[in-house]
Each structure stands twice: as structure tokens, then as C-alpha cells.
Amino acid sequence: MVKAVKPIRSLSRRVSKGIGMTSTRTRKRLVERLAAEGIHNPQVLQAIDMVPRHLFVDEALASRAYEDVALPIGYGQTISQPFVVALMTQALLEDSTPERVLEIGTGCGYQTAILACLVDEVFSIERIQELFQQARNRLYDIGLRNVKLHHGDGFLGWAEHAPYDAILAAAAPQHIPQTLLDQLAVGGRMILPVGERNQQKLLKIIRTEEGYEQQELETVRFVPLVEGTT
Ligand code: SAH
């Protein structure tokens, strides 16, 4: 049975009808590939189909934007592999659709854009000033207005807007930060990689009335969550 797809937030006309068009076919191929690899949430696939990933990387790498690979975005960081973005987003939406989501590690803003298509409000923190500014301009240009970005240290979360229905981290701490657990709403969930470089586990943590439940999803490789800002 085909599940009805709830309409998702759309991007500005300029993106959906203009610059985005040049990549429509290659993007569809990426969506088919992700579906074949186990991404089954139709809304997540629709968001990947809609967000022009080539606008989030350097022009010199734009032709590789729809390969299922991580790519450099400068400052020693990478844009996450589309499969990993899709998998984390799918895990985040699994039980119900969260309304307010905190993201740690905006990077180029691609994962932020995917989330912004699917939930009411996205709050995202980036520690590198230049990446923060670039992401802010990009997300504004593609017409996403339900995103608030913050240049700061994700270890501290963003207390001002807490609690969050969901938290997603795109960089790996060695231990689960207590501050982020505290900023999660009861009934909320957090998806984050945890562990040393090269041996991280992607965890799903659910906050219940009684405490926290933890599940291991995958073995993954993310850049480390680094304290402080630059
Ligand atoms: N989803 C992003 C992933 C970027 S890589 C994308 O697709 O572009 C992870 C990002 O986390 C990097 O930009 C890095 O600078 C950032 N980061 C690392 N430690 C951080 C911290 N303590 N607070 C906020 N951001 C952090």
C-alpha cells in the first residue's frame, strides 16, 4: 500500500523552478538509490528530491553533489553523505514528527535545509564563524524562513529555545553531553554519533518520564564535536 505523503514545506520559486532544475534528473537518481538502500520514509525522500545539494558545496564540486558521498566544505569539515543525512532524518521522524528541532553542527546547512522542509522550526548551532555565515546566506537564498542559526558551541546547546522535541548532532562527542540531554523535552529524541574517531556508534536516545532509553543504530564516521568557537 502506498502511504500518503504529507505535503512538505516548499523552497522559493527561484530554486524549485530555476537553478534547481539543472540538477533535477541527477537528484532523482540519488533519491532512487537511497530508497534502494533502505530509506523508506516518503517525506524524507521528497525532501532530498527538493533540496538542491549542489548549492551547498563549492562550485568546483557541484558536479559531484548528487553522488552518495561526503564532500569537503572547507575548514577541515565535510558535508555529510546523503545516505547518512537521510538515515538520521528518518530516525528522527520515526515515532512522530517533531515540531522544534535543535541541530548541532550546521556545516554548510544541507541537513538543516532537509529538516526545515519537514518540521516547523529548526535551531542550528555552528562553531566556525565562516561556515555559520555561509549557511545563513544560503538558507536565506533558497527561501527557508523557519530556521534560526547560532554561532556558538553545540556542547552548550541553545537553552533560550529549549526544550526541543528532537536534537540531531552532525559531529561526534566522546560521551553524550548532559546539557543536550537536559534540553530534550520529555517524549523527545536525540540522534547523535558518539565515540572516538573511526569507531563511533549512531545512537538514538529517547527521553521518557522516568529517564532516558538508548538504541544503537549504525557504525558511523563523523568529524569530532569540538569545544569552543572560532
Ligand atoms: N550536516 C552538516 C555536517 C557538517 S560537519 C553538513 O552536511 O554540512 C559537522 C559540523 O559540526 C562542522 O561544520 C563543525 O564545525 C561543526 N561542529 C563541530 N563541533 C561543534 C560544536 N561544538 N558546536 C557546533 N558545531 C560544531
Side-chain angles (χ1 to χ4, degrees), residues 73 77-80 103-111 125-128 131 152-155 170-171 223-228:
I73 54 172
Q77 308 302 321
T78 53
I79 177 172
S80 308
E103 179 192 35
I104 312 292
T106 318
C108 67
Y110 177 70
Q111 167 86 71
I125 308 174
E126 171 56 52
R127 68 179 290 274
I128 299 175
L131 289 176
D153 181 355
F155 272 105
V223 295
L225 195 69
V226 178
E227 275 182 72

Side-chain angles (χ1 to χ4, degrees), residues 26-62:
T26 41
R27 200 147 68 227
K28 291 236 179 295
R29 276 203 293 272
L30 172 64
V31 170
E32 282 161 17
R33 179 172 172 174
L34 297 180
E37 284 172 357
I39 303 303
H40 51 73
N41 182 316
Q43 285 181 278
V44 174
L45 293 171
Q46 200 185 341
I48 303 256
D49 189 31
M50 221 163 74
V51 177
R53 190 170 184 257
H54 66 283
L55 300 182
F56 289 81
V57 294
D58 201 77
E59 249 175 272
L61 291 171

